[in-house]
Amino acid sequence: MNTKLKGKHFITTQDWSIQELKTLFALARQLKLEIAQGKFNNKTLDGKTLGMIFFDPSTRTRTSFETSMTQLGGHSIFFAPETMQISHGEGARDTAKVLSGYLQAIAVRICKYGAGNRYLEELRAAASVPIVNMQCDIYHPAQILADYLTITEHFGENTTGLKLGVSWTHAPNYVRPVSVPQSIILMMLRFGIDVTLAHPPEFKLMPEIVEQAELNAKEAGAKFKISHEMDEAFDDADVVIPKSWGPLVYTQDEDEGVSLIDKYPGWICDEKRMSLTNKGSLYMHPLPADRDKEVTPGVIDGPHSVVYQEAENRLHVQKALLSLIM
Ligand code: CP
């Protein structure tokens, strides 16, 4: 167990050792039990403030980070960039240096492809307080902490040999980032989970992320397979996470992206596909889910689904994260 985490940035789980992540999960379980006991007045972050800058919309991330700070006795500030001097061109370096003088951590959501992670790295280079990634173009690490906690609540803390299917799904109303599937494959493989990733050819993930995932798999002794058949992600799976993402590695043109998504309406998570999975398997999705496009109501509201538990776990893992780093 590694407890020397004060001041540590959280931009990708890759920067955290397995021991550090295990410390975080142990604390998340403890904090979740405190809430079950009705203890909402933990004072760990008494007097401390988290600044949260959202360049992109959010329901779960904003609410769970803000509630985390309330329950830990601290305070959070929501910033819309258009209300800050960022809108007049103030750069990441000055923003980070100034906010470091007031805040004990700076959390940012910035999903613009090719720019989001770069902005976070500029903040990291200049800030003297931890930078927390609330989703960028490459990673969504807080989501994946919640996903892993949820998996361990169903299958136990030793996840070696579990089978996870991550699949692209159809959903043509907008182009979603690739950060969720990328963060899933990176972290789940490190915990020994065998991963099958399925997507149509145009929806490949960033080559450097796939390469890192292959290294993670090798190090953990886990299996990592990429397929262009959706069913392969469901065959014998203990957990499936089917969701849409954009063909952003292939094209950044929004209209071309939407028409490519529309080429594959059959890529939906339905009861027939769930029947390919193992008994007791979990259906997971970070939400928001596009019903009747990504998933049938029968699956998302059915016996395999743990999506609301998964969403709630955002709160518990983020409380643990903020307690450790702030
Ligand atoms: N899963 C997730 O990050 O949800 P929001 O976009 O609502 O924050």
Side-chain angles (χ1 to χ4, degrees):
M1 188 162 282
N2 186 331
T3 52
K4 303 240 175 340
L5 295 165
K6 284 280 172 268
K8 191 170 175 69
H9 299 287
F10 184 69
I11 292 179
T12 161
T13 56
Q14 277 300 124
D15 294 340
W16 285 52
S17 70
I18 292 289
Q19 283 309 315
E20 289 168 338
L21 290 168
K22 283 186 173 172
T23 303
L24 188 155
F25 289 122
L27 181 56
R29 291 184 189 99
Q30 185 186 312
L31 292 167
K32 189 169 181 177
L33 284 174
E34 277 185 16
I35 295 302
Q37 292 172 294
K39 294 183 184 165
F40 287 86
N41 60 348
N42 183 316
K43 294 289 178 210
T44 304
L45 297 181
D46 193 14
K48 296 190 174 179
T49 305
L50 171 73
M52 306 185 302
I53 309 175
F54 279 91
F55 288 83
D56 294 280
S58 165
T59 297
R60 280 142 289 270
T61 303
R62 178 182 175 182
T63 313
S64 54
F65 269 103
E66 216 167 303
T67 308
S68 295
M69 288 305 293
T70 304
Q71 292 184 359
L72 293 167
H75 178 68
S76 59
I77 304 174
F78 169 81
F79 296 109
E82 62 271 23
T83 66
M84 301 174 79
Q85 295 297 3
I86 291 171
S87 62
H88 288 152
E90 187 163 38
R93 187 172 184 277
D94 284 344
T95 302
K97 284 194 174 290
V98 171
L99 294 184
S100 293
Y102 310 130
L103 305 169
Q104 284 65 57
I106 303 167
V108 182
R109 167 169 283 194
I110 181 162
C111 298
K112 190 175 164 49
Y113 193 74
N117 190 258
R118 198 181 325 133
Y119 186 80
L120 288 173
E121 289 299 340
E122 283 170 21
L123 290 176
R124 185 205 317 236
S128 55
V129 297
I131 301 299
V132 175
N133 183 355
M134 297 194 295
Q135 189 175 21
C136 69
D137 51 333
I138 304 180
Y139 308 111
H140 193 355
Q143 179 64 52
I144 277 45
L145 295 181
D147 292 359
Y148 188 73
L149 179 65
T150 308
I151 290 171
T152 63
E153 287 175 338
H154 287 269
F155 292 103
E157 288 177 38
N158 180 1
T159 52
T160 302
L162 280 177
K163 291 187 170 54
L164 167 66
V166 180
S167 176
W168 180 87
T169 62
H170 178 245
N173 50 352
Y174 69 99
V175 173
R176 294 156 171 84
V178 292
S179 50
V180 168
Q182 295 198 152
S183 287
I184 294 171
I185 63 170
L186 285 174
M187 202 185 84
M188 299 304 179
L189 288 163
R190 290 177 74 200
F191 280 93
I193 298 178
D194 296 336
V195 175
T196 299
L197 171 70
H199 58 74
E202 300 93 333
F203 292 83
K204 61 188 177 190
L205 301 181
M206 294 167 69
E208 57 271 37
I209 296 294
V210 172
E211 207 172 293
Q212 184 61 58
E214 280 161 356
L215 291 173
N216 289 357
K218 199 168 169 197
E219 200 168 313
K223 297 188 190 106
F224 178 43
K225 181 180 176 190
I226 298 180
S227 164
H228 295 320
E229 299 292 331
M230 189 170 183
D231 285 357
E232 283 205 46
F234 288 73
D235 280 335
D236 293 324
D238 299 301
V239 182
V240 288
I241 312 182
K243 79 168 301 295
S244 183
W245 64 83
L248 290 160
V249 178
Y250 182 85
T251 177
Q252 276 116 65
D253 182 282
E254 181 86 16
D255 293 336
E256 191 184 0
V258 170
S259 61
L260 281 170
I261 293 170
D262 230 3
K263 253 178 81 177
Y264 299 100
W267 284 63
I268 182 168
C269 175
D270 58 12
E271 288 82 341
K272 189 158 168 254
R273 287 203 161 102
M274 286 307 296
S275 73
L276 302 173
T277 65
N278 287 338
K279 192 168 181 287
S281 67
L282 304 182
Y283 165 81
M284 298 177 68
H285 190 296
L287 304 179
D290 215 330
R291 286 164 182 258
D292 293 315
K293 296 208 170 62
E294 294 186 272
V295 59
T296 58
V299 170
I300 194 167
D301 298 323
H304 296 275
S305 178
V306 291
V307 294
Y308 302 120
Q309 178 187 357
E310 180 185 2
E312 185 199 307
N313 279 339
R314 292 289 303 274
L315 173 69
H316 307 300
V317 295
Q318 288 160 199
K319 283 174 71 181
L321 170 72
L322 298 173
S323 297
L324 291 168
I325 66 172
M326 282 180 78

